[in-house]
Structure formats: structure tokens, C-alpha cells
Amino acid sequence: MAKDWLELRQHADTGIETIRAHFEGHAYDPHWHDSYLVGMTLTGTQQFQCRRERHRSTPGDAFLLEPGEIHDGDAPVMGGFTYLTFYLDERWLGQTLRGLYESVPDSYSLHFSHTIAREPQLVRAIAGTFTALHNDEMRIVQQSNMDALLSQLTYHCQWRKRLPAQRQSAAIAHRAREYLHAHMGDNLGLDDLARETGTDRFTLTRCFKREFHLTPHAWLIQLRLAHARAMLAQGEQPASVAAALGFADQSHLGRWFVRVYRLTPAHYRRLCTNLPDDARK
């Protein structure tokens, strides 16, 4: 833990977070993001579970994760690993890349073809974009690098037709997820979700795990953490964020935040806003 380090910056114009970090041993617990994650391994070996597979990313490898994809992270060999990454808003990336194709129906959604990509041109585009954003270079440099990255990503994307919500299991899971979104700060029980979806607790949990690979409770924690990041980045105090999102108290939020992001909420807030701990909006 003492040798671990993390640099995080939030780009002023776009809000894109850029992260460069080094971890040895266990890096972070299973979690998901509400954005597309694009990055590359700089040194060492990064190991993580995603899409029901164990992946290893070594220097020069790009890694591409979609919103909602559960992944963890650890260093399987001595010396740990160093990587850089940034998050791209789901709606923005889908709309932008859609414009690079001749015709993509609205009923199709954007997916990455592979989790690990060993393509030098893509890796160079990721490195260039990261450097331009992280170092806040001239806007024309930032935008040129971003356009080059988007062009490279088209070779690693595919459009899939969204599955119709006719399957009963998927329909139950998605209704439960929508309810969790709408009531994320409430003290919900499985009975509440079962009643909302017209089923029993056991069927609900089985359907939810089949669709999202997490129990409703574990998924709700991840949802709250994703919203906590957004609120902290806007300058909200950790205590008020914890209260708004249904955490028992600030310590409860802090324990989960560190497990998943390896930062305290207060530290993350400072990195995004440069506000001191006692500043309030």
C-alpha cells in the first residue's frame, strides 16, 4: 500500500477525468463505472476480471470497458503495475461515434469488440489524448488528439441491436434497476423491489444477477458510489453526499469509496475542485 500512488485530474472543458496510477498487490474491489473506460498499461502486469474472463494487460496493451461492466484489479507479479486511463461519457461517445458511421439505427447500442486491444495505433492515440488532457495543453491539441482517438476507436467498436425486453427475466431485472435509480437514497428492501416488479424476492434476485452479475444490494452500492463521485466533483461535502445517497454516515461512504477507488471522498473532492475540506458551495 505504501508504494501505491494515484494522480487524478478533471479536465475543465469536458469534465473528463484522467488518472495515472501505480498499484502493487490488490488494487481495487469489483466495481463498475457509468462511463466508457479507455486506458493503457505502462509498466508491469495488470490483472482483472471482466466479462467473466480473467485478463492480463502488459505494457503497450490498451483496455476498453463499457459502462456497467464489473471489473476488479490486482498485480499478480512483483513490482506492481502502472497505468493511465480516462472516462468518456456514455451518451456523448455513442452520439459522437455514431456520426463517424454512414448509418446506425437508434435501436443499436455501442460496444467494444474486445476488452484488451494490442494495436499500436490505438495505444498511441490513447497516450496522446491522455497527455493533452492531463497536462491541459492547447485546446486545438486536445481536440486533435481526441479526434484521432475517436477515429481509432471505430475499429474496435461494434453496434448491437438492443434486445427487446420480452424475456421475462430481463424485464424484471431492468424494472428493478430503474426503481433503484429512482430511489437510490431510500432505505429499500428486497420486498419493495419484488412488489414493484410483480414477483417474489428470490425470483427478483435470480433475474437481477443473471442480467447484471450482481445482487440488487451490491448494484445499489455501486450506483450510489457513481453518484457520490459526481456530487463530490461538484464540490459537495462528503457528509452531505453520504446523507443524500443513503449511506449510514460519512465513514460508511468513506470505507466503500476507498475500497473501490483507492481514494477518500475528501481527497477525491480536492483533486476535482481544489476546494479545501471545510469549503462549502
Side-chain angles (χ1 to χ4, degrees):
M1 180 74 173
K3 296 181 180 179
D4 295 349
W5 53 264
L6 185 148
E7 301 172 359
L8 180 148
R9 294 177 186 168
Q10 189 173 54
H11 187 243
D13 288 347
T14 64
I16 293 174
E17 287 183 7
T18 56
I19 296 174
R20 179 164 36 216
H22 176 85
F23 294 114
E24 299 190 12
H26 177 69
Y28 33 80
D29 289 350
H31 65 286
W32 54 260
H33 300 278
D34 54 2
S35 304
Y36 287 93
L37 187 153
V38 176
M40 60 180 288
T41 301
L42 298 174
T43 65
T45 299
Q46 177 181 188
Q47 180 174 266
F48 61 95
Q49 183 83 17
C50 185
R51 298 189 186 183
R52 301 182 180 180
E53 293 183 39
R54 178 64 66 183
H55 301 277
R56 284 197 172 199
S57 176
T58 54
D61 289 348
F63 48 88
L64 308 169
L65 281 75
E66 300 169 18
E69 287 195 323
I70 303 164
H71 60 285
D72 56 11
D74 64 82
V77 298
M78 292 290 292
F81 66 92
T82 308
Y83 73 97
L84 57 82
T85 190
F86 43 86
Y87 305 105
L88 303 175
D89 178 74
E90 179 177 9
R91 181 174 299 179
W92 174 82
L93 184 62
Q95 291 176 344
T96 302
L97 288 185
R98 191 182 297 273
L100 297 177
Y101 292 82
E102 289 187 4
S103 177
V104 178
D106 289 338
S107 60
Y108 283 67
S109 58
L110 177 68
H111 298 270
F112 290 134
S113 303
H114 305 285
T115 302
I116 300 291
R118 297 177 172 92
E119 170 54 55
Q121 289 181 302
L122 173 63
V123 171
R124 284 196 295 270
I126 291 172
T129 299
F130 180 90
T131 299
L133 296 178
H134 200 68
N135 296 335
D136 197 22
E137 297 183 3
M138 292 188 302
R139 290 181 65 198
I140 193 170
V141 174
Q142 295 174 12
Q143 293 168 0
S144 296
N145 277 279
M146 183 65 76
D147 287 350
L149 172 63
L150 294 173
S151 295
Q152 285 300 316
L153 283 177
T154 61
Y155 297 108
H156 300 272
C157 294
Q158 56 184 223
W159 296 93
R160 298 180 197 155
K161 185 173 178 59
R162 294 189 181 96
L163 294 175
Q166 298 152 331
R167 288 187 313 151
Q168 187 64 20
S169 175
I172 290 172
H174 283 271
R175 284 203 302 272
R177 185 178 68 168
E178 290 170 4
Y179 193 78
L180 289 173
H181 264 284
H183 301 273
M184 75 175 75
D186 297 345
N187 185 17
L188 295 173
L190 289 174
D191 288 338
D192 299 314
L193 288 175
R195 183 170 55 253
E196 180 67 21
T197 56
T199 188
D200 61 87
R201 286 162 45 184
F202 304 101
T203 301
L204 164 70
T205 299
R206 186 170 61 250
C207 294
F208 202 94
K209 288 181 69 175
R210 182 182 296 128
E211 188 73 6
F212 301 118
H213 313 299
L214 286 175
T215 64
H217 170 256
W219 196 91
L220 177 60
I221 291 291
Q222 296 293 328
L223 176 66
R224 288 174 172 177
L225 287 172
H227 279 261
R229 284 172 65 103
M231 294 172 70
L232 291 164
Q234 293 298 314
E236 295 284 344
Q237 284 284 347
S240 61
V241 171
L245 296 177
F247 290 96
D249 51 31
Q250 183 176 340
S251 296
H252 186 210
L253 167 64
R255 288 194 298 274
W256 274 105
F257 210 88
V258 170
R259 282 178 61 180
V260 171
Y261 302 127
R262 298 301 293 270
L263 289 168
T264 66
H267 188 191
Y268 177 79
R269 177 178 178 272
R270 286 197 303 273
L271 290 170
C272 292
T273 65
N274 293 318
L275 290 171
D277 289 344
D278 59 352
R280 296 181 182 272
K281 288 184 72 175

